[in-house]
Amino acid sequence: MNAIELLKHDHETLKQVFERLGKTTERGVKTRGELMRHLHEELTIHTRLEEEIFYPAFKAASGKEGDILFHEATEEHRAVEALILPDLEKTEPSSVEFAGRAKVLKDMVEHHIEEEEQEMLPKAGELLGEERLEELGAQMETRRKELRRQLSGERAA
């Protein structure tokens, strides 16, 4: 799977988790907890793949316009990781606030996905070419497996 296909697949996975989370109610504490763990893992892995592998390759291949897209995307990651997700994770899943905070996170991530898929990914396809995208996809798959093992180990500890 090339890097763009891999990222789009991740985007679909995230949208599905958000959809399931959005259908929960205050009584679904256990389900909300499980979905939040899944969401946290998927967001963490996806963000790391982008920031460690894909974004640097994109930035190296692009000019000033690509530089702007790179910094905007990393700033959106920072806002989710440092502000929105931690706040949601501290919110009691049985509370009314939980649904509102989950919706804000969903909206932020979906906005990020839309921008990537409409701007960054098409430009990356042009700039990087099929062979480089395949190489990046292979690197990202290997890194994904490492991150899953690492996160599984942290959960078990």
Side-chain angles (χ1 to χ4, degrees), residues 109-144:
V109 171
E110 286 182 348
H111 168 78
H112 177 76
I113 288 170
E114 186 178 315
E115 284 187 340
E116 276 188 355
E117 290 188 0
Q118 291 180 358
E119 297 177 49
M120 185 181 275
L121 298 183
K123 186 169 283 306
E126 294 170 18
L127 294 170
L128 296 169
E130 195 57 41
E131 187 176 322
R132 181 69 174 128
L133 289 171
E134 290 293 334
E135 290 171 10
L136 292 170
Q139 289 174 22
M140 291 164 77
E141 273 300 331
T142 299
R143 182 66 176 133
R144 176 191 309 280

Side-chain angles (χ1 to χ4, degrees), residues 31 36 42 63 74 110-111 146:
T31 302
M36 283 302 299
E42 294 300 326
T74 55
E110 286 182 348
H111 168 78
E146 293 170 0

Side-chain angles (χ1 to χ4, degrees), residues 38-64:
H38 187 206
L39 184 62
H40 184 109
E41 183 173 305
E42 294 300 326
L43 280 171
T44 299
I45 290 170
H46 180 74
T47 299
R48 298 278 284 286
L49 294 177
E50 286 183 333
E51 291 183 356
E52 293 175 9
I53 300 169
F54 187 75
Y55 287 177
F58 174 76
K59 187 177 178 193
S62 63
K64 187 171 177 85

Side-chain angles (χ1 to χ4, degrees), residues 63-75:
K64 187 171 177 85
E65 182 183 357
D67 204 33
I68 292 167
L69 290 172
F70 167 83
H71 288 290
E72 182 179 340
T74 55
E75 187 59 27

